[in-house]
Amino acid sequence: MGSSSVLLRSSPLFFPRFSSTAIRRLNSSFCPPQSVIPASDQIRGGGGDFSWDDVVRLSQTRQHDDSSDLRGFFEKVTLCNRNSEKQCEFIPFVIDEHIVGYVHNGRFAHHLRRYKDVFAFPEDPSYGGNFGCHVALHPLLSAPEDRTEAVGHVVKCLGEDVIPGIRNELYPVTSSFGEPEFFSLERAAAPYFGIKAYGVHMVGYVERENQKYLWVGKRSKLKPTYPGKLDHLVAGGLPHGISCGENLVKECKEEAGIPRSLSSKATAVGAVSYMDINGYRLKRDVLFCYDLNLPEDFVPANEDGEVESFKLLPVTQVANIIRNTSFFKENCNLVIIDFLFRHGYIKPESLGYLKLLQSLRSGDCT
């Protein structure tokens, strides 16, 4: 993206490279419907109610599947990019002539209209959308700190009934990554305002006897989101006031007990993105991906209580788990599929190779 002077006034609502409808179409082209695991296993995977024995059993049972069959991977990408046809229900959230997010015109805008000293709804069709208006902040809220305080007060007033899972963690609100911050917003509120949220996700792997293994974590059953699901080794949202590299070092220590002497060697390898609509939540996430080649004798140890346990698994078995179950947290699937591309486990000879590769960046990756 260019400098902050570049305006988005003429931009359409938003056009992700691959909408969920397009991905489903790709899925039907390359992925004829099939039942890949028993219904009972699907239920366990969906709820996180499964054991490491279940994970190993299913990964080994399916280890002789055709590795060129990408159908299960397409399905996981689709899960992260739902309901694109409902984009028309959202109106732009505009600050200083920049589109920074999208708000559901009915269900969530209704709440915001009550706070006339914080939010305005100018009638101006030039920012796109189907309703001839957009969401803006009150003109008197010109300083970032004032905006942060005012919007934060509204979020607290709306409370858990409207915005569940308040974390008291602030995310920067920008038009694109690296641009100036207009204000900071409670993390749990990010999808309700449709702002872009950024995170760091790291795959930790071990090389042993010419084979790669991935450290996989099982989330605590007490986690408010995706309890009991599988994760790659380290992940975390990118909050206000910290760089990607420093945030990764912090998350490595908290989630897996990885000291800075090791975590500082992680390699930045790109990003994946997705856009998911669920009710009046519009989740626009960009995940910065990292790889870390760990020593054979390293064993992760969780320090913040968010991970129940870890297991070292061959990459081929992890690939089978992703293709054939719903055990992994949904966006972690994208990060590991990207790893499979970069390390040669998904090959150009596979039907749908380029379509799957492109679909990993279905959201607005800016």
Side-chain angles (χ1 to χ4, degrees):
M1 193 82 178
S3 69
S4 59
S5 62
V6 177
L7 301 185
L8 301 180
R9 172 177 284 274
S10 60
S11 298
L13 181 57
F14 50 87
F15 293 105
R17 185 171 298 171
F18 282 90
S19 67
S20 56
T21 303
I23 293 172
R24 283 195 296 271
R25 193 177 302 120
L26 291 171
N27 203 14
S28 62
S29 299
F30 296 105
C31 320
Q34 66 171 13
S35 177
V36 292
I37 59 174
S40 59
D41 288 326
Q42 291 180 4
I43 293 171
R44 280 204 303 273
D49 184 18
F50 57 87
S51 67
W52 282 116
D53 287 341
D54 295 323
V55 172
V56 173
R57 174 176 57 82
L58 283 169
S59 68
Q60 292 176 337
T61 299
R62 304 291 178 173
Q63 67 182 347
H64 299 299
D65 282 359
D66 181 3
S67 62
S68 67
D69 186 349
L70 305 183
R71 290 176 289 183
F73 297 142
F74 272 105
E75 292 169 1
K76 299 309 185 290
V77 175
T78 300
L79 286 174
C80 287
N81 293 276
R82 298 172 297 175
N83 300 320
S84 63
E85 68 279 3
K86 296 184 178 180
Q87 294 177 34
C88 61
E89 300 176 5
F90 291 77
I91 57 177
F93 179 23
V94 179
I95 300 179
D96 295 345
E97 298 187 310
H98 290 73
I99 297 176
V100 298
Y102 297 91
V103 170
H104 192 274
N105 186 54
R107 298 169 65 186
F108 193 67
H110 170 74
H111 294 294
L112 301 186
R113 289 179 186 274
R114 294 158 41 199
Y115 299 90
K116 299 184 184 300
D117 56 341
V118 179
F119 295 101
F121 289 80
E123 293 185 1
D124 181 354
S126 61
Y127 291 102
N130 295 329
F131 300 96
C133 67
H134 62 270
V135 185
L137 294 179
H138 192 284
L140 292 179
L141 297 173
S142 58
E145 57 271 20
D146 293 337
R147 294 166 173 171
T148 298
E149 182 179 358
V151 177
H153 175 71
V154 171
V155 169
K156 289 181 180 178
C157 288
L158 293 176
E160 291 282 333
D161 289 341
V162 177
I163 302 176
I166 300 296
R167 305 186 187 194
N168 296 314
E169 180 180 336
L170 295 176
Y171 268 10
V173 177
T174 66
S175 58
S176 60
F177 186 73
E179 295 296 325
E181 299 178 13
F182 296 109
F183 72 100
S184 297
L185 177 67
E186 158 63 39
R187 175 179 180 176
Y192 296 89
F193 287 89
I195 72 164
K196 286 182 194 168
Y198 301 89
V200 293
H201 284 236
M202 191 190 80
V203 175
Y205 69 97
V206 172
E207 293 182 298
R208 180 187 299 163
E209 298 177 351
N210 297 318
Q211 186 176 359
K212 288 187 175 75
Y213 295 76
L214 298 189
W215 277 110
V216 176
K218 195 170 190 301
R219 295 163 67 87
S220 167
K221 290 185 174 62
L222 300 179
K223 287 278 288 181
T225 57
Y226 302 98
K229 287 277 197 172
L230 299 184
D231 257 334
H232 45 63
L233 188 54
V234 171
L238 186 63
H240 170 77
I242 188 170
S243 69
C244 287
E246 278 303 307
N247 194 41
L248 184 68
V249 168
K250 177 180 73 72
E251 295 290 347
C252 279
K253 186 69 171 69
E254 293 174 355
E255 294 195 351
I258 303 174
R260 180 180 288 268
S261 59
L262 286 178
S263 59
S264 61
K265 297 178 182 178
T267 303
V269 292
V272 298
S273 64
Y274 59 95
M275 190 278 291
D276 179 70
I277 296 176
N278 181 12
Y280 53 86
R281 301 167 72 253
L282 198 163
K283 194 170 177 60
R284 298 194 298 151
D285 284 3
V286 178
L287 312 179
F288 293 103
C289 300
Y290 290 79
D291 285 353
L292 179 59
N293 188 346
L294 289 161
E296 286 190 47
D297 60 355
F298 174 80
V299 177
N302 180 247
E303 297 185 359
D304 61 8
E306 295 188 357
V307 182
E308 178 183 286
S309 55
F310 297 94
K311 197 168 189 66
L312 189 64
L313 296 170
V315 173
T316 51
Q317 289 189 21
V318 175
N320 284 331
I321 294 165
I322 290 175
R323 291 212 315 264
N324 299 317
T325 79
S326 55
F327 288 170
F328 269 95
K329 180 173 176 281
E330 291 170 3
N331 63 1
C332 294
N333 288 319
L334 305 187
V335 176
I336 298 176
I337 292 170
D338 185 64
F339 179 93
L340 297 175
F341 271 106
R342 292 183 290 95
H343 289 261
Y345 290 91
I346 299 177
K347 303 183 185 303
E349 290 78 14
S350 301
L351 183 63
Y353 178 91
L354 289 178
K355 297 296 185 184
L356 180 61
L357 181 64
Q358 290 177 300
S359 73
L360 294 177
R361 292 152 189 89
S362 296
D364 182 0
C365 206
T366 61

